[in-house]
Amino acid sequence: NAGVTQTPKFRILKIGQSMTLQCTQDMNHNYMYWYRQDPGMGLKLIYYSVGAGITDKGEVPNGYNVSRSTTEDFPLRLELAAPSQTSVYFCASSRVGVNTEAFFGQGTRLTVV
Amino acid sequence: DAKTTQPTSMDCAEGRAANLPCNHSTISGNEYVYWYRQIHSQGPQYIIHGLKNNETNEMASLIITEDRKSSTLILPHATLRDTAVYYCIVLDLYNQGGKLIFGQGTELSVKP
Protein backbone atom coordinates (compact mmCIF):
# COMPACT_ATOMS: atom_id res chain seq x y z
CA ASN A 1 0.00 0.00 0.00
CA ALA A 2 1.22 3.49 -0.82
CA GLY A 3 -0.79 4.99 2.05
CA VAL A 4 -1.66 8.68 1.62
CA THR A 5 -0.13 10.35 -1.42
CA GLN A 6 -0.07 14.11 -1.93
CA THR A 7 0.91 15.98 -5.05
CA PRO A 8 2.67 18.24 -5.71
CA LYS A 9 5.32 18.33 -2.98
CA PHE A 10 6.20 21.96 -3.64
CA ARG A 11 4.47 24.79 -5.47
CA ILE A 12 4.88 28.53 -5.88
CA LEU A 13 1.74 30.47 -6.80
CA LYS A 14 1.26 34.08 -7.67
CA ILE A 15 -1.38 36.10 -5.84
CA GLY A 16 -4.77 35.53 -7.42
CA GLN A 17 -3.89 32.24 -9.10
CA SER A 18 -5.79 29.05 -8.36
CA MET A 19 -4.64 25.50 -7.90
CA THR A 20 -5.73 22.07 -6.71
CA LEU A 21 -3.77 20.04 -4.20
CA GLN A 22 -4.28 16.36 -4.85
CA CYS A 23 -4.66 13.69 -2.16
CA THR A 24 -5.34 10.01 -2.66
CA GLN A 25 -5.34 7.03 -0.30
CA ASP A 26 -5.42 3.32 -1.04
CA MET A 27 -6.48 2.03 2.38
CA ASN A 28 -10.25 2.25 1.78
CA HIS A 29 -10.55 4.71 4.64
CA ASN A 30 -13.86 6.50 5.10
CA TYR A 31 -12.53 9.67 6.75
CA MET A 32 -10.21 12.10 4.99
CA TYR A 33 -8.85 15.44 6.18
CA TRP A 34 -6.98 18.50 5.04
CA TYR A 35 -4.78 20.47 7.44
CA ARG A 36 -2.53 23.45 7.10
CA GLN A 37 0.50 24.15 9.23
CA ASP A 38 2.07 27.59 9.36
CA PRO A 39 5.73 27.92 10.39
CA GLY A 40 6.25 27.11 14.06
CA MET A 41 2.57 26.42 14.63
CA GLY A 42 0.34 23.40 15.10
CA LEU A 43 -1.95 21.86 12.50
CA LYS A 44 -5.27 23.50 11.72
CA LEU A 45 -8.12 21.49 10.21
CA ILE A 46 -9.40 23.02 6.95
CA TYR A 47 -12.01 20.51 5.76
CA TYR A 48 -12.82 16.91 6.38
CA SER A 49 -14.99 14.22 4.82
CA VAL A 50 -16.71 11.24 6.42
CA GLY A 51 -17.28 9.47 3.11
CA ALA A 52 -17.82 9.94 -0.61
CA GLY A 53 -20.19 12.84 -1.30
CA ILE A 54 -19.97 14.27 2.24
CA THR A 55 -17.71 17.12 3.30
CA ASP A 56 -17.68 19.51 6.24
CA LYS A 57 -15.80 22.59 7.38
CA GLY A 58 -13.02 22.42 9.91
CA GLU A 59 -11.40 25.26 11.86
CA VAL A 60 -10.09 27.38 8.96
CA PRO A 61 -12.14 26.73 5.78
CA ASN A 62 -12.18 30.22 4.26
CA GLY A 63 -10.46 30.45 0.89
CA TYR A 64 -10.65 26.72 0.21
CA ASN A 65 -13.01 24.23 -1.35
CA VAL A 66 -13.07 20.45 -1.37
CA SER A 67 -14.92 17.62 -3.03
CA ARG A 68 -15.12 13.89 -2.37
CA SER A 69 -16.48 12.08 -5.40
CA THR A 70 -14.69 8.81 -4.60
CA THR A 71 -13.50 7.08 -1.44
CA GLU A 72 -9.88 7.37 -2.57
CA ASP A 73 -9.57 11.03 -3.57
CA PHE A 74 -10.00 14.27 -1.64
CA PRO A 75 -8.68 17.27 -3.60
CA LEU A 76 -8.31 20.71 -2.01
CA ARG A 77 -8.96 23.70 -4.23
CA LEU A 78 -7.47 27.15 -3.60
CA GLU A 79 -9.23 29.95 -5.42
CA LEU A 80 -7.61 33.38 -5.67
CA ALA A 81 -4.47 32.51 -3.74
CA ALA A 82 -3.33 34.99 -1.08
CA PRO A 83 0.01 35.30 0.79
CA SER A 84 -1.82 34.22 3.97
CA GLN A 85 -2.26 30.79 2.37
CA THR A 86 1.49 30.21 2.33
CA SER A 87 1.77 27.11 4.44
CA VAL A 88 2.43 23.38 4.47
CA TYR A 89 -0.67 21.37 3.68
CA PHE A 90 -1.20 17.86 4.99
CA CYS A 91 -3.80 15.36 3.90
CA ALA A 92 -4.76 12.45 6.14
CA SER A 93 -7.14 9.52 6.20
CA SER A 94 -8.54 7.17 8.82
CA ARG A 95 -11.04 4.39 9.26
CA VAL A 96 -13.19 5.63 12.11
CA GLY A 97 -13.79 3.17 14.89
CA VAL A 98 -12.42 2.31 18.29
CA ASN A 99 -8.96 1.81 16.86
CA THR A 100 -8.92 4.98 14.82
CA GLU A 101 -5.45 5.82 13.60
CA ALA A 102 -4.97 8.61 11.10
CA PHE A 103 -2.34 8.28 8.39
CA PHE A 104 -0.78 11.44 7.00
CA GLY A 105 0.77 12.29 3.70
CA GLN A 106 4.18 13.94 3.48
CA GLY A 107 2.78 17.38 2.83
CA THR A 108 2.65 20.03 0.11
CA ARG A 109 4.72 23.14 0.71
CA LEU A 110 2.91 26.08 -0.88
CA THR A 111 4.29 29.59 -1.25
CA VAL A 112 2.11 32.43 -2.52
CA VAL A 113 4.08 35.43 -3.80
CA ASP B 1 -11.41 26.20 22.89
CA ALA B 2 -8.41 24.10 23.83
CA LYS B 3 -9.40 20.73 25.23
CA THR B 4 -5.86 19.81 26.25
CA THR B 5 -2.96 21.62 27.90
CA GLN B 6 0.62 20.55 27.35
CA PRO B 7 3.97 22.11 28.25
CA THR B 8 5.47 23.98 25.34
CA SER B 9 8.82 22.21 25.49
CA MET B 10 10.77 19.56 27.37
CA ASP B 11 14.26 18.11 27.34
CA CYS B 12 15.26 14.51 27.95
CA ALA B 13 18.62 12.75 28.07
CA GLU B 14 19.18 10.00 25.55
CA GLY B 15 18.47 6.58 27.03
CA ARG B 16 16.27 7.98 29.79
CA ALA B 17 12.50 7.77 29.95
CA ALA B 18 10.65 10.75 28.53
CA ASN B 19 7.44 11.55 30.42
CA LEU B 20 5.15 13.93 28.55
CA PRO B 21 2.17 15.23 30.54
CA CYS B 22 -1.21 16.34 29.23
CA ASN B 23 -4.10 17.92 31.10
CA HIS B 24 -7.63 17.34 29.84
CA SER B 25 -9.71 18.37 32.83
CA THR B 26 -12.98 18.72 30.85
CA ILE B 27 -12.79 15.30 29.21
CA SER B 28 -16.13 13.54 28.88
CA GLY B 29 -16.90 9.87 29.34
CA ASN B 30 -16.91 9.12 25.60
CA GLU B 31 -13.66 10.86 24.80
CA TYR B 32 -10.51 8.93 24.07
CA VAL B 33 -6.99 10.29 24.60
CA TYR B 34 -4.80 10.07 21.50
CA TRP B 35 -1.14 10.88 21.07
CA TYR B 36 0.56 11.77 17.81
CA ARG B 37 4.02 13.09 17.08
CA GLN B 38 5.51 15.12 14.25
CA ILE B 39 9.16 14.77 13.41
CA HIS B 40 10.73 17.77 11.72
CA SER B 41 7.76 18.91 9.59
CA GLN B 42 6.91 15.43 8.35
CA GLY B 43 3.30 14.32 8.49
CA PRO B 44 2.18 13.47 12.05
CA GLN B 45 2.48 9.85 13.18
CA TYR B 46 0.06 8.01 15.46
CA ILE B 47 1.59 6.74 18.70
CA ILE B 48 -1.06 5.37 21.03
CA HIS B 49 -4.56 5.96 22.41
CA GLY B 50 -6.66 4.96 25.41
CA LEU B 51 -9.98 5.50 27.17
CA LYS B 52 -9.53 4.59 30.83
CA ASN B 53 -6.95 1.89 31.19
CA ASN B 54 -3.23 2.26 30.78
CA GLU B 55 -2.01 1.18 27.37
CA THR B 56 1.32 0.01 26.02
CA ASN B 57 2.59 -0.70 22.54
CA GLU B 58 5.97 -1.03 20.88
CA MET B 59 6.45 2.73 20.80
CA ALA B 60 5.20 4.02 24.14
CA SER B 61 3.03 3.68 27.23
CA LEU B 62 0.00 5.79 28.07
CA ILE B 63 -0.91 6.34 31.71
CA ILE B 64 -4.36 7.87 32.32
CA THR B 65 -5.27 9.02 35.82
CA GLU B 66 -8.25 7.43 37.51
CA ASP B 67 -10.34 10.61 37.16
CA ARG B 68 -9.20 10.81 33.49
CA LYS B 69 -8.36 14.50 33.85
CA SER B 70 -4.75 14.03 32.87
CA SER B 71 -2.46 11.56 31.18
CA THR B 72 1.23 10.91 30.60
CA LEU B 73 2.91 9.53 27.52
CA ILE B 74 6.05 7.59 28.38
CA LEU B 75 8.83 6.86 25.92
CA PRO B 76 10.79 4.30 27.97
CA HIS B 77 14.25 4.76 26.44
CA ALA B 78 14.32 7.98 24.45
CA THR B 79 16.64 8.19 21.45
CA LEU B 80 17.71 11.16 19.37
CA ARG B 81 15.15 10.08 16.76
CA ASP B 82 12.38 10.72 19.29
CA THR B 83 13.03 14.46 19.05
CA ALA B 84 9.68 15.75 17.78
CA VAL B 85 6.54 17.69 18.64
CA TYR B 86 4.11 15.51 20.59
CA TYR B 87 0.38 16.19 20.41
CA CYS B 88 -2.19 15.07 22.95
CA ILE B 89 -5.75 15.01 21.54
CA VAL B 90 -9.08 14.10 23.10
CA LEU B 91 -11.58 12.67 20.68
CA ASP B 92 -15.22 11.67 21.01
CA LEU B 93 -15.54 8.96 18.40
CA TYR B 94 -19.31 8.73 18.75
CA ASN B 95 -20.21 12.42 18.49
CA GLN B 96 -17.23 13.81 16.56
CA GLY B 97 -16.36 10.79 14.51
CA GLY B 98 -12.69 10.91 13.68
CA LYS B 99 -12.31 14.68 13.49
CA LEU B 100 -8.82 15.27 14.86
CA ILE B 101 -8.15 18.75 16.22
CA PHE B 102 -4.51 19.42 17.07
CA GLY B 103 -3.30 21.81 19.76
CA GLN B 104 0.18 23.31 20.05
CA GLY B 105 1.87 20.19 21.40
CA THR B 106 5.07 19.68 23.36
CA GLU B 107 8.41 20.02 21.62
CA LEU B 108 10.59 17.24 23.02
CA SER B 109 14.35 17.55 22.58
CA VAL B 110 16.34 14.41 23.28
CA LYS B 111 19.93 15.32 24.02
CA PRO B 112 23.04 13.10 23.91
Coordinates of all heavy atoms in Angstrom, one line a residue, chain A residues 31 33 35 37 42-43 45 48 59 90 96-102 104-106, chain B residues 32 34 36 38 41-44 46 49 87 93 97-104:
Chain A
Y31 N -12.8 8.3 6.4 CA -12.5 9.7 6.7 C -11.3 10.2 6.0 O -10.3 9.5 5.9 CB -12.3 9.8 8.3 CG -13.5 10.1 9.1 CD1 -14.5 9.2 9.1 CD2 -13.6 11.3 9.8 CE1 -15.7 9.5 9.9 CE2 -14.7 11.6 10.5 CZ -15.8 10.6 10.6 OH -16.9 10.9 11.3
Y33 N -9.0 14.1 5.6 CA -8.8 15.4 6.2 C -7.8 16.3 5.4 O -6.9 15.7 4.8 CB -8.3 15.3 7.6 CG -8.8 14.2 8.5 CD1 -8.4 12.9 8.3 CD2 -9.8 14.6 9.5 CE1 -8.9 11.9 9.2 CE2 -10.3 13.6 10.3 CZ -9.8 12.3 10.2 OH -10.3 11.3 11.0
Y35 N -5.3 19.6 6.4 CA -4.8 20.5 7.4 C -3.8 21.4 6.8 O -3.2 21.1 5.8 CB -4.0 19.7 8.5 CG -4.8 18.8 9.4 CD1 -5.1 17.5 9.0 CD2 -5.4 19.2 10.6 CE1 -5.8 16.6 9.8 CE2 -6.1 18.4 11.4 CZ -6.3 17.1 11.0 OH -7.1 16.2 11.8
Q37 N -0.4 23.9 8.1 CA 0.5 24.2 9.2 C 1.4 25.3 8.9 O 2.3 25.2 8.0 CB 1.3 22.9 9.5 CG 2.2 23.1 10.8 CD 2.9 21.8 11.2 OE1 3.3 21.0 10.4 NE2 3.0 21.6 12.5
G42 N 1.0 24.7 15.2 CA 0.3 23.4 15.1 C -0.5 23.3 13.9 O -0.6 24.2 13.1
L43 N -1.1 22.1 13.7 CA -1.9 21.9 12.5 C -3.4 22.4 12.7 O -3.9 22.2 13.8 CB -2.0 20.4 12.2 CG -0.8 19.7 11.7 CD1 0.1 19.3 12.8 CD2 -1.2 18.5 10.8
L45 N -7.3 22.3 11.1 CA -8.1 21.5 10.2 C -8.9 22.4 9.3 O -9.5 23.4 9.7 CB -9.1 20.7 11.0 CG -10.1 19.8 10.3 CD1 -9.3 18.7 9.5 CD2 -11.1 19.2 11.2
Y48 N -12.9 18.3 6.2 CA -12.8 16.9 6.4 C -14.0 16.3 5.7 O -15.0 16.9 5.4 CB -12.7 16.5 7.8 CG -13.9 16.7 8.7 CD1 -14.8 15.7 9.0 CD2 -14.2 18.0 9.2 CE1 -15.9 15.9 9.8 CE2 -15.4 18.2 9.9 CZ -16.2 17.2 10.3 OH -17.3 17.4 11.1
E59 N -11.7 24.0 11.1 CA -11.4 25.3 11.9 C -11.1 26.5 11.0 O -11.5 27.6 11.3 CB -10.2 25.1 12.7 CG -10.3 23.9 13.7 CD -8.9 23.6 14.4 OE1 -8.1 23.0 13.8 OE2 -8.7 24.1 15.5
F90 N -1.2 19.3 4.8 CA -1.2 17.9 5.0 C -2.6 17.3 4.8 O -3.6 17.8 5.2 CB -0.8 17.5 6.4 CG 0.7 17.8 6.7 CD1 1.0 18.9 7.4 CD2 1.7 16.9 6.3 CE1 2.4 19.2 7.7 CE2 3.0 17.2 6.6 CZ 3.3 18.3 7.3
V96 N -12.7 5.3 10.8 CA -13.2 5.6 12.1 C -13.8 4.4 12.8 O -14.6 3.7 12.3 CB -14.2 6.7 12.0 CG1 -14.8 7.0 13.4 CG2 -13.6 8.0 11.4
G97 N -13.3 4.3 14.0 CA -13.8 3.2 14.9 C -13.0 3.3 16.2 O -12.3 4.2 16.4
V98 N -13.1 2.3 17.0 CA -12.4 2.3 18.3 C -10.9 2.4 18.1 O -10.2 3.1 18.9 CB -12.8 1.1 19.1 CG1 -11.9 1.0 20.4 CG2 -14.3 1.1 19.5
N99 N -10.4 1.8 17.1 CA -9.0 1.8 16.9 C -8.6 2.8 15.8 O -7.7 2.6 15.0 CB -8.5 0.4 16.5 CG -8.6 -0.6 17.6 OD1 -8.3 -0.2 18.8 ND2 -9.1 -1.7 17.3
T100 N -9.2 4.0 15.8 CA -8.9 5.0 14.8 C -7.5 5.4 14.9 O -6.9 5.7 15.9 CB -9.8 6.2 15.1 OG1 -11.1 5.9 14.8 CG2 -9.4 7.4 14.2
E101 N -6.8 5.3 13.7 CA -5.4 5.8 13.6 C -5.4 6.6 12.3 O -5.7 6.0 11.2 CB -4.5 4.7 13.6 CG -3.0 5.1 13.2 CD -2.1 3.9 13.1 OE1 -2.5 2.8 13.5 OE2 -1.0 4.1 12.5
A102 N -5.0 7.8 12.3 CA -5.0 8.6 11.1 C -3.6 8.5 10.5 O -2.6 8.5 11.2 CB -5.3 10.1 11.4
F104 N -1.0 10.2 7.6 CA -0.8 11.4 7.0 C 0.1 11.3 5.8 O 1.0 10.4 5.8 CB -0.1 12.4 8.0 CG -1.1 13.0 9.0 CD1 -1.5 12.2 10.1 CD2 -1.6 14.3 8.9 CE1 -2.4 12.7 11.0 CE2 -2.4 14.8 9.8 CZ -2.8 14.0 10.9
G105 N -0.1 12.2 4.8 CA 0.8 12.3 3.7 C 2.0 13.1 4.1 O 2.1 13.6 5.2
Q106 N 2.9 13.3 3.2 CA 4.2 13.9 3.5 C 4.1 15.4 3.3 O 5.0 16.2 3.6 CB 5.3 13.4 2.6 CG 5.7 12.0 3.0 CD 6.1 12.0 4.5 OE1 7.1 12.6 4.9 NE2 5.4 11.2 5.3
Chain B
Y32 N -11.8 9.6 24.0 CA -10.5 8.9 24.1 C -9.3 9.9 24.1 O -9.5 11.1 23.6 CB -10.3 8.0 22.8 CG -11.2 6.8 22.8 CD1 -12.6 6.9 22.6 CD2 -10.7 5.6 23.0 CE1 -13.4 5.8 22.6 CE2 -11.5 4.4 23.0 CZ -12.8 4.5 22.8 OH -13.6 3.4 22.7
Y34 N -5.7 10.5 22.6 CA -4.8 10.1 21.5 C -3.5 10.9 21.6 O -3.5 12.0 22.0 CB -5.4 10.4 20.1 CG -6.4 9.3 19.7 CD1 -7.7 9.3 20.2 CD2 -6.1 8.4 18.7 CE1 -8.6 8.3 19.8 CE2 -7.0 7.5 18.3 CZ -8.2 7.4 18.8 OH -9.1 6.5 18.4
Y36 N -0.1 11.8 19.1 CA 0.6 11.8 17.8 C 1.9 12.5 18.0 O 2.0 13.3 18.9 CB -0.3 12.5 16.7 CG -1.4 11.7 16.2 CD1 -2.6 11.5 16.9 CD2 -1.3 11.1 14.9 CE1 -3.6 10.8 16.3 CE2 -2.3 10.4 14.4 CZ -3.5 10.2 15.1 OH -4.5 9.5 14.6
Q38 N 5.1 14.6 15.5 CA 5.5 15.1 14.3 C 7.0 15.4 14.3 O 7.5 16.2 15.1 CB 4.7 16.4 13.9 CG 5.0 16.9 12.5 CD 4.2 18.1 12.2 OE1 3.8 18.9 13.0 NE2 3.9 18.3 10.9
S41 N 8.6 18.5 10.7 CA 7.8 18.9 9.6 C 7.3 17.8 8.7 O 6.8 18.0 7.6 CB 8.4 20.0 8.8 OG 8.6 21.1 9.6
Q42 N 7.5 16.5 9.1 CA 6.9 15.4 8.3 C 5.4 15.4 8.7 O 5.0 16.1 9.6 CB 7.6 14.1 8.7 CG 9.0 14.0 8.3 CD 9.6 12.7 8.8 OE1 8.9 11.7 9.1 NE2 10.9 12.6 8.9
G43 N 4.7 14.5 8.1 CA 3.3 14.3 8.5 C 3.3 13.7 9.9 O 4.1 12.9 10.2
P44 N 2.3 14.1 10.7 CA 2.2 13.5 12.0 C 2.0 11.9 12.0 O 1.5 11.4 11.0 CB 0.9 14.1 12.6 CG 0.8 15.4 11.9 CD 1.3 15.2 10.5
Y46 N 0.8 8.5 14.3 CA 0.1 8.0 15.5 C 1.0 7.3 16.4 O 1.9 6.6 16.0 CB -1.0 7.1 15.0 CG -1.7 6.2 16.0 CD1 -2.7 6.7 16.8 CD2 -1.2 4.9 16.2 CE1 -3.3 5.8 17.8 CE2 -1.8 4.1 17.2 CZ -2.8 4.5 17.9 OH -3.4 3.7 18.9
H49 N -3.3 5.3 21.9 CA -4.6 6.0 22.4 C -5.1 5.1 23.5 O -4.8 3.9 23.6 CB -5.6 6.2 21.3 CG -6.3 5.0 20.8 ND1 -5.8 4.1 20.0 CD2 -7.6 4.5 21.1 CE1 -6.6 3.1 19.7 NE2 -7.7 3.3 20.4
Y87 N 1.7 15.6 20.3 CA 0.4 16.2 20.4 C -0.5 15.2 21.2 O -0.6 14.1 20.9 CB -0.2 16.4 19.0 CG 0.5 17.4 18.2 CD1 1.4 17.0 17.2 CD2 0.2 18.8 18.3 CE1 2.0 18.0 16.4 CE2 0.8 19.7 17.5 CZ 1.7 19.3 16.5 OH 2.4 20.2 15.8
L93 N -15.3 9.7 19.6 CA -15.5 9.0 18.4 C -17.0 8.9 18.0 O -17.4 8.8 16.9 CB -15.0 7.5 18.5 CG -13.4 7.4 18.5 CD1 -13.0 6.0 18.7 CD2 -12.8 8.0 17.3
G97 N -17.0 11.7 15.5 CA -16.4 10.8 14.5 C -14.9 10.8 14.7 O -14.4 10.8 15.8
G98 N -14.1 10.9 13.6 CA -12.7 10.9 13.7 C -12.1 12.3 13.5 O -10.9 12.4 13.1
K99 N -12.8 13.3 13.8 CA -12.3 14.7 13.5 C -11.2 15.0 14.5 O -11.5 15.4 15.6 CB -13.5 15.7 13.6 CG -13.1 17.1 13.1 CD -14.3 18.0 12.9 CE -14.7 18.5 14.2 NZ -15.7 19.6 14.1
L100 N -10.0 15.0 14.0 CA -8.8 15.3 14.9 C -8.5 16.8 14.9 O -8.3 17.3 13.8 CB -7.6 14.5 14.3 CG -7.5 13.0 14.6 CD1 -6.4 12.5 13.8 CD2 -7.4 12.7 16.0
I101 N -8.5 17.4 16.1 CA -8.2 18.8 16.2 C -6.9 18.8 17.0 O -6.8 18.3 18.2 CB -9.3 19.5 17.0 CG1 -10.6 19.5 16.2 CG2 -8.8 21.0 17.2 CD1 -10.5 20.2 14.8
F102 N -5.8 19.4 16.4 CA -4.5 19.4 17.1 C -4.4 20.7 17.9 O -4.8 21.8 17.4 CB -3.4 19.4 16.0 CG -3.2 18.0 15.4 CD1 -4.1 17.5 14.4 CD2 -2.2 17.2 15.8 CE1 -3.9 16.3 13.9 CE2 -2.0 15.9 15.3 CZ -2.9 15.5 14.3
G103 N -3.7 20.6 19.0 CA -3.3 21.8 19.8 C -1.9 22.2 19.4 O -1.4 21.9 18.3
Q104 N -1.2 22.8 20.3 CA 0.2 23.3 20.1 C 1.2 22.2 20.3 O 2.3 22.3 19.7 CB 0.5 24.5 20.9 CG -0.2 25.8 20.4 CD 0.1 26.1 19.0 OE1 -0.7 26.0 18.1 NE2 1.3 26.6 18.7

